[in-house]
Amino acid sequence: GQNIDQPTEMTATEGAIVQINCTYQTSGFNGLFWYQQHAGEAPTFLSYNVLDGLEEKGRFSSFLSRSKGYSYLLLKELQMKDSASYLCAVRESGSARQLTFGSGTQLTVLP
Amino acid sequence: EAQVTQNPRYLITVTGKKLTVTCSQNMNHEYMSWYRQDPGLGLRQIYYSMNVEVTDKGDVPEGYKVSRKEKRNFPLILESPSPNQTSLYFCASSSHNEQFFGPGTRLTVL
């Protein structure tokens, strides 16, 4: 089984940088994913990490430390449209591509 | 356009009345799954399918059935819906490392 923890809510200011943390416990790790979900909409894929280190994709970056069971999503130059829920999900090895999702972090970007 | 479609998008029904939520994808993905999303609980997997005629239970399968007769379709069946199945449901299909979600079906069981 897996246990995934992320903060419930965060608030940041337009133009700033925010880091959303995710910690997980799993018996066998095979990848960590970040998704963005706007209210009432479907989640959309943001990033995938399977090796330690930082993956950068435009204003968004995701970091993974497998030994610490830790990841973060870094959002730079925040825009109002970044207000959304950010979901951390872990895939367990041998799990047939099943994902277990955290409860999500609701980010509010203020002007 | 690559997409996952679900129908209906909204449904209000009564306890015990069988219903089916359809899901279809046009990306030729082998892997498909169903999730429900409830406040404070996040996305929880109901059932998944690795390929045609191959399905398996996720974390919360009780009260649900699925079938995978064709690669593109993965319907979710509630034989006898109950109020605790009131939720937002998402179908998803995936390539190796990215899941594509349908638009969601908001189900209310009275």
Side-chain angles (χ1 to χ4, degrees):
Chain A
Q2 300 180 57
N3 188 32
I4 301 172
D5 289 311
Q6 50 181 132
T8 304
E9 296 177 324
M10 298 184 72
T11 303
T13 304
E14 195 174 15
I17 300 173
V18 71
Q19 177 175 312
I20 302 174
N21 296 326
C22 171
T23 58
Y24 64 89
Q25 295 172 315
T26 181
S27 52
F29 177 82
N30 191 24
L32 187 138
F33 302 75
W34 284 95
Y35 283 81
Q36 180 191 59
Q37 185 178 24
H38 286 99
E41 298 182 10
T44 55
F45 172 81
L46 289 178
S47 69
Y48 164 69
N49 295 70
V50 67
L51 300 176
D52 291 351
L54 189 68
E55 294 282 341
E56 297 187 77
K57 192 185 290 187
R59 293 189 299 115
F60 293 5
S61 304
S62 57
F63 172 82
L64 175 68
S65 169
R66 289 172 294 171
S67 63
K68 295 181 180 176
Y70 168 68
S71 173
Y72 67 72
L73 181 68
L74 192 71
L75 292 76
K76 303 176 186 176
E77 302 169 14
L78 279 173
Q79 302 174 8
M80 300 296 288
K81 68 178 181 179
D82 296 329
S83 291
S85 183
Y86 291 86
L87 312 177
C88 173
V90 173
R91 183 170 65 198
E92 201 168 86
S93 56
S95 69
R97 283 190 266 168
Q98 278 179 276
L99 293 184
T100 300
F101 284 82
S103 298
T105 298
Q106 182 63 47
L107 173 66
T108 301
V109 180
L110 301 174
Chain B
E1 179 192 354
Q3 60 181 349
V4 179
T5 57
Q6 293 178 229
N7 281 291
R9 294 289 313 280
Y10 303 90
L11 179 61
I12 300 174
T13 189
V14 296
T15 299
K17 185 177 181 182
K18 181 179 178 179
L19 66 93
T20 299
V21 184
T22 64
C23 173
S24 183
Q25 52 97 0
N26 62 2
M27 294 167 279
N28 202 36
H29 288 161
E30 292 180 348
Y31 185 86
M32 298 185 73
S33 57
W34 275 102
Y35 295 88
R36 60 178 290 174
Q37 187 173 37
D38 303 289
L41 296 176
L43 280 162
R44 293 179 294 167
Q45 192 176 54
I46 303 170
Y47 267 94
Y48 65 95
S49 170
M50 291 292 291
N51 211 329
V52 175
E53 302 292 1
V54 181
T55 63
D56 210 346
K57 297 177 180 178
D59 296 320
V60 288
E62 294 78 21
Y64 305 94
K65 287 173 55 178
V66 292
S67 70
R68 189 88 182 274
K69 294 186 171 64
E70 309 163 276
K71 200 171 190 179
R72 63 184 292 124
N73 297 323
F74 190 44
L76 180 70
I77 303 152
L78 285 73
E79 294 271 3
S80 183
S82 62
N84 65 11
Q85 293 178 299
T86 292
S87 187
L88 178 60
Y89 291 86
F90 288 103
C91 178
S93 73
S94 66
S95 59
H96 293 291
N97 293 321
E98 182 175 351
Q99 285 210 62
F100 297 84
F101 285 84
T105 296
R106 188 165 290 282
L107 173 66
T108 301
V109 183
L110 302 175

